[in-house]
Amino acid sequence: MAKKQFKAESKRLLDLMVNSIYTHKEIFLREIISNASDACDKLSYKALTDDSVGMTRKDFHIDLSVSPDERTITVRDNGIGMDKEDLENNLGVIASSGSFKFKQEVGDDAKNTDVIGQFGVGFYSAFMVADKITVTTKKFGSDTAYQWQSSGVDGYTITECDKDSVGTDIVMHLKPDTDDENYGEYLQEWKLQDLIRRYSDYIRFPIRMEVTKSRKKEGSPDDKPEYESYREVETLNSMVPIWQRRKSSVKKEEYDKFYRDKFSDYTDPQSVIAVSAEGTVTYKALLFIPGATPFDFYSKDYEKGLQLYSNGVLIMDKCADLVPEYYRFIRGVVDSPDLSLNISRELLQHDRQLKVIAANIEKKIKAELVKMMKDDRPGYETFWKNFGRQLKYGVVGEYGAHKDALQDLLLFYSSTEKKLVSLDEYVSRMKEDQKTIYYAAGENVSVIDKLPQIEGLKDDGVEILYFTEEVDEFAAQIMHSYKDKEFRSALDGKSEEKSDEQKDADKPADESKAVFDFVKEALGDGVKEVKASDKLKSHPVCLSAGEGLSFEMEKYLNAVQPEHPVKADRILELNTAHPAFAALSKAVADDTATAKKYATLLYDQALLIAGLPLDDPSGYTDLVCELLMK
Ligand code: ADP
């Protein structure tokens, strides 16, 4: 009997499959099972309007069996079946499901296996593991059954055959094992059970297989039990995915277990967000905020994304496009009947439905976080500890494009409340005459709390946000303001809270100016300006940076990009009311050599307070000792 040739495109795809070097060959089973499930769907749908079918949904099933001796796996369904024409059209040519743009993606490069990897290509994928496939099928309403057979690229045959019942049997004869590939693995019960659970757990018809089990021999004594093995048909898939169930019918423990099993986490999730959407796009989503930071979260190994299903069939393990970067900690699943199983990665990126889903999901996550912040503050603080930094990076990322979406979710430590507060809480407490949101950046809360520059504001009862993470100041700079209140460093620049008269009073007297000029001269170009401080109270000196780059930013940038060093302006502020200033003034008038030493000493102290390195640490020590011995 003459062999029929595959259509040109199909032949290339087949070539690709037969010679596949793709490592996830196991997806073939998912593809074959999905087809069987579709066939059951079609006939059960028909049964709704056609009494002659004589079946209801619960009569359908998919049966899996293996024959180790013959090296075959059989997948049998009692779905709609195929007639001769169907076989020609469906298995003779590449799947006509328009979404698969084979030519574009595979091109002439038979090694471009990504296409198979992510999406499978239906029936043909079985040729990754099988060297011969026999399809025996009888279509509903037809008297004749047919057998389609192919050993791959050289074509296929279709013959009439006997088959009593409606439906399709697919027998895959596995390729011989090689040094690299153990195809025989697929003949093992546990392997098939594992594959079904992984890829096809939510197929809505039972996938059954006879498996070997063990039980206590009847009559064997309890204290010395004897065991025997027996065979029993078992349903391998759980059929109803947890996300298809109504949230009110699922216990917290069930969600927790599902999360831990699915995402291999030891910690229960902190929040579960169940979404059921109908409208432009129909989908269900189950999202989790993890209860702990994954160990690799801030490394490049961490991959964001949600599991994507089409009607219970897994199409992608980590669909990155479904969650924005700043919510990359979210784990979960999305299931939409509107998505095609064979959609390719590139198309997925431009998929309109996927975009709609992603936008909805983002809103749901935000709403959940806002709610948690309001109703469960300790819970939100735990979340913040785990993932807050990511949100702040989200504010800074993409030139601040997402700051409006995220600013309400931020928390910072407050000098007056002694705990984490939101920007909204800060602003709503601001005194009427306070114009700006004050922050102070430094190593940690206790270091910042001791900074001499903020003593004045603290004494006046002004709330200051303590910025302890490198990203904080960048975030404030990008946000610029919150509810029309500008962010302002309490350490750098001028204090806004002073009245104009006070500012006039701050103007240096002539004799002070002479001291500043002297100190500036003595310290040289390293210092941009020497001036009277409007911030200091009980301390003699501090260093401030001008507008823009702060010392904390300088430290951070130099740590991450040492090849492009940056330097913030160093402005030395002196407390003219301090006795040290009087001593300096006197020395400037009487003994310039000593005055130079004082200037250096004060500058070095200011550097130390700012957490900046001294230009000459041993010189500083010598100076201190010299004064000690005076
Ligand atoms: P897809 O499922 O994406 O259309 P496939 O290559 O997997 O692509 O299958 C091609 C077609 O073959 C299916 O659309 C279906 O019409 C038919 N088919 C495959 N398996 C079966 C089956 N078990 N029962 C009935 N029809 C089937």
Side-chain angles (χ1 to χ4, degrees), residues 25-84:
K25 296 187 161 76
E26 60 193 32
I27 55 111
F28 80 93
L29 191 62
R30 172 194 86 169
E31 300 294 316
I32 297 296
I33 297 270
S34 298
N35 284 345
S37 168
D38 289 347
C40 291
D41 258 334
K42 282 180 196 156
L43 190 54
S44 86
Y45 185 71
K46 201 173 184 58
L48 297 176
T49 53
D50 184 345
D51 288 341
S52 71
V53 178
M55 294 167 86
T56 63
R57 222 183 143 80
K58 63 178 187 334
D59 298 319
F60 292 93
H61 44 83
I62 299 161
D63 292 310
L64 197 59
S65 59
V66 290
S67 167
D69 296 341
E70 287 160 37
R71 243 185 122 71
T72 57
I73 309 176
T74 302
V75 175
R76 171 174 300 152
D77 67 70
N78 57 350
I80 190 101
M82 286 176 275
D83 58 17
K84 192 173 179 187

Side-chain angles (χ1 to χ4, degrees), residues 13 31-40 42 75-77 79-82 86-87 89-97 99-100 120-125 135 137 167-170 340-342:
L13 179 53
E31 300 294 316
I32 297 296
I33 297 270
S34 298
N35 284 345
S37 168
D38 289 347
C40 291
K42 282 180 196 156
V75 175
R76 171 174 300 152
D77 67 70
I80 190 101
M82 286 176 275
D86 293 334
L87 285 170
N89 293 338
N90 297 334
L91 305 188
V93 297
I94 183 170
S96 40
S97 27
S99 54
F100 185 73
V121 279
F123 178 81
Y124 288 83
S125 62
V135 179
T137 181
T168 304
D169 298 354
I170 297 188
S340 138
L341 188 62
N342 277 351

Side-chain angles (χ1 to χ4, degrees), residues 276-450:
S276 174
E278 263 168 61
T280 355
V281 186
T282 299
Y283 72 93
K284 296 256 182 352
L286 195 56
L287 312 171
F288 299 92
I289 299 174
T293 326
F295 70 94
D296 59 352
F297 186 65
Y298 289 106
S299 81
K300 63 179 187 318
D301 294 337
Y302 181 88
E303 239 185 291
K304 71 159 178 157
L306 303 177
Q307 267 199 341
L308 188 60
Y309 288 83
S310 159
N311 256 335
V313 181
L314 180 65
I315 50 178
M316 199 176 183
D317 200 31
K318 284 203 170 142
C319 183
D321 298 333
L322 281 170
V323 267
E325 189 58 22
Y326 39 91
Y327 292 151
R328 68 206 285 270
F329 48 84
I330 294 284
R331 287 174 164 145
V333 300
V334 172
D335 190 345
S336 171
D338 298 342
L339 294 168
S340 138
L341 188 62
N342 277 351
I343 193 163
S344 76
R345 176 179 277 178
E346 277 89 308
L347 285 173
L348 208 52
Q349 263 172 8
H350 300 115
D351 194 85
R352 199 185 56 80
Q353 283 149 334
L354 209 68
K355 285 212 164 82
V356 174
I357 298 177
N360 277 343
I361 282 179
E362 174 170 359
K363 274 194 214 129
K364 298 279 177 191
I365 299 170
K366 166 99 188 265
E368 173 69 19
L369 291 173
V370 168
K371 186 167 149 280
M372 206 202 293
M373 193 195 237
K374 194 162 133 278
D375 300 344
D376 173 18
R377 195 54 176 260
Y380 191 77
E381 284 185 18
T382 304
F383 158 76
W384 184 254
K385 187 167 88 6
N386 289 333
F387 302 111
R389 184 140 69 105
Q390 185 62 41
L391 294 191
K392 292 190 278 193
Y393 275 113
V395 168
V396 175
E398 292 175 58
Y399 305 101
H402 308 289
K403 63 183 174 157
D404 291 344
L406 296 172
Q407 58 190 8
D408 286 317
L409 299 174
L410 307 182
L411 293 184
F412 298 99
Y413 184 89
S414 151
S415 62
T416 51
E417 303 299 304
K418 311 271 180 233
K419 62 174 188 193
L420 293 169
V421 301
S422 71
L423 294 175
D424 185 53
E425 287 158 357
Y426 181 102
V427 168
S428 64
R429 270 196 291 271
M430 275 169 74
K431 298 205 186 87
E432 230 170 84
D433 57 345
Q434 187 181 333
K435 299 184 194 74
T436 56
I437 301 173
Y438 279 103
Y439 64 83
E443 177 97 13
N444 58 48
V445 166
S446 73
V447 165
I448 301 171
D449 208 38
K450 291 191 195 98

Side-chain angles (χ1 to χ4, degrees), residues 119-379:
F119 307 102
V121 279
F123 178 81
Y124 288 83
S125 62
F127 281 107
M128 290 195 293
V129 301
D131 50 19
K132 181 169 141 192
I133 301 178
T134 310
V135 179
T136 311
T137 181
K138 188 174 179 183
K139 188 168 184 167
F140 172 76
S142 159
D143 295 330
T144 323
Y146 294 93
Q147 192 168 74
W148 178 99
Q149 204 165 52
S150 170
S151 300
V153 203
D154 55 340
Y156 61 92
T157 58
I158 297 178
T159 48
E160 275 187 34
C161 69
D162 289 331
K163 187 177 188 302
D164 292 339
S165 55
V166 168
T168 304
D169 298 354
I170 297 188
V171 182
M172 291 160 277
H173 181 269
L174 296 177
K175 293 179 184 177
D177 293 343
T178 65
D179 288 346
D180 302 325
E181 292 290 346
N182 176 15
Y183 299 105
E185 189 178 36
Y186 301 121
L187 296 167
Q188 290 171 348
E189 271 173 23
W190 68 265
K191 181 69 188 176
L192 295 176
Q193 280 174 300
D194 177 59
L195 290 182
I196 296 295
R197 237 172 265 138
R198 186 125 49 96
Y199 294 105
S200 314
D201 201 31
Y202 309 119
I203 291 286
R204 280 161 304 161
F205 300 99
I207 304 168
R208 312 183 308 189
M209 183 168 73
E210 196 178 70
V211 295
T212 305
K213 294 178 158 184
S214 164
R215 68 183 160 207
K216 188 171 152 285
K217 250 189 190 164
E218 221 176 300
S220 74
D222 279 350
D223 53 341
K224 256 203 199 141
E226 282 173 49
Y227 291 95
E228 61 181 3
S229 58
Y230 67 104
R231 308 269 297 161
E232 193 174 77
V233 173
E234 198 174 77
T235 297
L236 306 180
N237 53 331
S238 51
M239 295 198 276
V240 182
I242 196 164
W243 60 85
Q244 293 289 358
R245 293 164 57 189
R246 275 216 321 280
K247 193 175 182 185
S248 57
S249 75
V250 185
K251 291 198 204 72
K252 179 183 179 303
E253 293 75 45
E254 288 179 274
Y255 278 137
D256 288 353
K257 183 177 179 327
F258 171 80
Y259 169 81
R260 290 195 314 264
D261 291 350
K262 182 131 214 135
F263 302 107
S264 315
D265 198 344
Y266 300 112
T267 320
D268 285 338
Q270 202 189 354
S271 274
V272 182
I273 310 167
V275 188
S276 174
E278 263 168 61
T280 355
V281 186
T282 299
Y283 72 93
K284 296 256 182 352
L286 195 56
L287 312 171
F288 299 92
I289 299 174
T293 326
F295 70 94
D296 59 352
F297 186 65
Y298 289 106
S299 81
K300 63 179 187 318
D301 294 337
Y302 181 88
E303 239 185 291
K304 71 159 178 157
L306 303 177
Q307 267 199 341
L308 188 60
Y309 288 83
S310 159
N311 256 335
V313 181
L314 180 65
I315 50 178
M316 199 176 183
D317 200 31
K318 284 203 170 142
C319 183
D321 298 333
L322 281 170
V323 267
E325 189 58 22
Y326 39 91
Y327 292 151
R328 68 206 285 270
F329 48 84
I330 294 284
R331 287 174 164 145
V333 300
V334 172
D335 190 345
S336 171
D338 298 342
L339 294 168
S340 138
L341 188 62
N342 277 351
I343 193 163
S344 76
R345 176 179 277 178
E346 277 89 308
L347 285 173
L348 208 52
Q349 263 172 8
H350 300 115
D351 194 85
R352 199 185 56 80
Q353 283 149 334
L354 209 68
K355 285 212 164 82
V356 174
I357 298 177
N360 277 343
I361 282 179
E362 174 170 359
K363 274 194 214 129
K364 298 279 177 191
I365 299 170
K366 166 99 188 265
E368 173 69 19
L369 291 173
V370 168
K371 186 167 149 280
M372 206 202 293
M373 193 195 237
K374 194 162 133 278
D375 300 344
D376 173 18
R377 195 54 176 260

